[in-house]
Structure formats: C-alpha cells, structure tokens
Amino acid sequence: MKLPIPQQEDAVFRALADASRRHLLDRLHRRNGQTLVELCEGLDMTRQAVAKHLAILEEANLVATERQGREKLHFINPVPINAIAERWIRKFERRHLSALAALKSKLEGEGHD
Amino acid sequence: MKLPIPQQEDAVFRALADASRRHLLDRLHRRNGQTLVELCEGLDMTRQAVAKHLAILEEANLVATERQGREKLHFINPVPINAIAERWIRKFERRHLSALAALKSKLEGEGHD
DNA sequence: TTAATAAGGAACCAATAGGTTGCCTGTCAA
DNA sequence: TTGACAGGCAACCTATTGGTTCCTTATTAA
C-alpha cells in the first residue's frame, strides 16, 4: 500500500507527535528487533497500549515487523524520518537561518521573552 | 519562560503534528511577517481557528510575534526545528542507515509489503 | 468622533486519541 | 497434550483537539 507523499508525511508527523512513541523508537534505536513484551518492560502502560502505539508507528512506516514463531520482532525504519528531514527540515537550514537570524535578534532586542 | 528541553521538544513535535499548522509555517516560510488575516486568506477555516493554530505554534516557539498597532505580525523561528533535527534526526542519519539497510532489504526480500 | 478593521476571549460541540479491561488465537515446551 | 506464553481483537471510557459561534476590546481612518 503506497501512500502519496503528503499523506505518508502526515502519518509520520502524527506518529512522532506522541512522547511514548518517540520513546519506543528510542528503545528500538538502542536495540533493534525487539518483541512486544520486551518493548513493554518498565513502561507504565498495558501491553495493549504499547501494541497500539507500535501499530501507529508501523502504519507510518517507521517500524517494520517480522513474525517469528509466536513472537513479532520490531525493527526501526529510518527512511521516513530522513525523507521528512529532506523535504522539511532542510528548508529551515543554516543558510536560510542567516537571513532570519537578523530578524530574530531584532525581535529579541525589542524585549521578546 | 524557559522550558526544559524534552518538554520544549514535545511541544514542537505536537505543534508539527497538524497539517494546517505545517501549512501555516510553509506560508510564513514563503513570506515572513504576515498578520493573522493575511494568514487566513484562502484557508477553509475561521479566523479564530487559525488564531488557535498560531497560538500553538507560538507556544512551541516555532513562531515569534510582534504587535504593530492593531496588527500582529508573525515570524517563523527555525531554531526549534533545527534543534530537533540535531537531537533527533541525526541519529537516524545515513551512516546508521548502512547497518539498517541490510536488514531492511533482508526484510523486503522476505515478502514484506 | 465614529465606523470599520484586527485581534482576543470564552463557551460550546463532535471527533479523535490514548488508555483500559476482557476475551480469543496461535505457538511452544514440559 | 496441555498449560503457559506472545500476541490480536473489540468494546468501552475519558480527556484532548480542532473547530465553531458570539461577543468584546483596541486601533485606525473617514
């Protein structure tokens, strides 16, 4: 099921919006290929809640899974995050920043924050 | 009001989760320093809805505002996005990707998608 | 000085999100 | 072959979100 880019992008942004899900990605980043129960360890949530979060991450294509016997291994997929970095972050990057930095310091000089 | 990093980060991720808000950032990126009514133009939403979105972006420190008479100008602030890019995206960057690419193609070779 | 304009405040509403509990299915090991 | 274990399904609940409408305030221009 190949989504059009903006829709895929929306799914990724929304998946990343939740701290628990970012935490799960973090754990997978530290050790890839964990099962659901492993990912539940130490979390203040039921297994079903974690399963839902993982489903959302999978839907956003941020994790891929592989069934192995009665276990389901979860693997992080860095591609969508990089895609967003390309399409979204780059345009706010340093070179653009220069023009805006002037403005920002101007604003700050006028008593903002 | 200086938030601790993770909390600030959470605000940014959540602000970016909504497509309308990303669209507003896009518009500000194309032309900076617009007023509320300007930002409303062509959007299928009431002014108040847009104002709420802008408030959330401002809360996340993604836009800064400057009152000028009865108008309020909105300026994009690229710093938080870059901060997230630094703290979050970099660790899923290319060099890490190499190790994972092998895994990914392995998974795909086994009939995923 | 007053009408128009830009924005803010607040109450309200429907839909969605995040979480729970309870139960079912499939696989492995004793 | 049967219990224990990993996971899936679904109903349900509450808080949050994205949006509306109505009203007020402040600034500007005629």
Side-chain angles (χ1 to χ4, degrees):
Chain A
M1 189 173 60
K2 194 91 172 175
L3 279 320
I5 301 276
Q7 204 167 332
Q8 165 70 17
E9 186 177 281
D10 191 62
V12 174
F13 270 115
R14 288 175 31 172
L16 290 176
D18 186 273
S20 305
R21 288 194 287 269
R22 293 199 302 276
H23 180 70
L24 285 171
L25 283 184
D26 257 334
R27 289 177 78 143
L28 284 180
H29 185 252
R30 280 203 292 280
R31 188 162 70 81
N32 213 4
Q34 298 187 60
T35 68
L36 173 55
V37 278
E38 283 174 328
L39 287 168
C40 284
E41 266 166 35
L43 291 191
D44 195 20
M45 239 185 296
T46 61
R47 177 178 53 83
Q48 283 85 346
V50 176
K52 280 193 187 181
H53 283 305
L54 288 172
I56 289 171
L57 289 171
E58 196 173 349
E59 183 70 21
N61 206 21
L62 284 164
V63 314
T65 61
E66 184 180 8
R67 197 70 196 247
Q68 228 164 52
R70 66 178 161 182
E71 299 186 331
K72 189 178 181 183
L73 306 182
H74 297 77
F75 300 93
I76 201 169
N77 177 15
V79 175
I81 284 191
N82 273 282
I84 283 194
E86 289 305 325
R87 288 175 43 81
W88 243 84
I89 312 248
R90 296 288 179 260
K91 66 179 173 196
F92 300 118
E93 205 86 32
R94 297 290 170 223
R95 52 207 164 78
H96 295 270
L97 232 128
S98 53
L100 289 158
L103 169 78
K104 182 169 170 289
S105 54
K106 172 183 164 293
L107 288 177
E108 284 176 347
E110 285 170 5
H112 285 258
D113 253 6
Chain B
M1 187 173 63
K2 194 90 172 176
L3 278 320
I5 301 276
Q7 204 168 332
Q8 165 71 16
E9 187 176 283
D10 191 63
V12 173
F13 270 116
R14 288 174 35 167
L16 290 177
D18 186 273
S20 306
R21 289 194 287 271
R22 293 198 303 275
H23 181 71
L24 285 171
L25 283 185
D26 257 333
R27 289 177 78 140
L28 284 181
H29 184 252
R30 280 203 290 281
R31 188 162 69 81
N32 213 5
Q34 299 186 60
T35 68
L36 173 56
V37 279
E38 283 173 328
L39 287 169
C40 285
E41 266 166 33
L43 291 191
D44 195 20
M45 239 186 295
T46 61
R47 178 179 53 82
Q48 283 83 347
V50 176
K52 279 194 187 180
H53 283 306
L54 288 171
I56 290 172
L57 289 171
E58 196 173 351
E59 183 69 21
N61 206 22
L62 284 164
V63 314
T65 60
E66 185 179 8
R67 197 71 195 246
Q68 229 164 50
R70 67 178 159 183
E71 298 186 331
K72 189 177 180 183
L73 306 181
H74 297 77
F75 301 93
I76 202 168
N77 178 14
V79 175
I81 284 191
N82 273 281
I84 283 193
E86 289 304 324
R87 288 175 42 82
W88 243 84
I89 313 252
R90 297 289 179 259
K91 65 180 174 194
F92 300 118
E93 205 85 32
R94 297 290 170 221
R95 52 205 163 77
H96 294 271
L97 232 129
S98 53
L100 289 158
L103 169 78
K104 181 169 170 289
S105 55
K106 171 181 164 292
L107 286 177
E108 285 176 346
E110 286 171 6
H112 286 257
D113 252 6

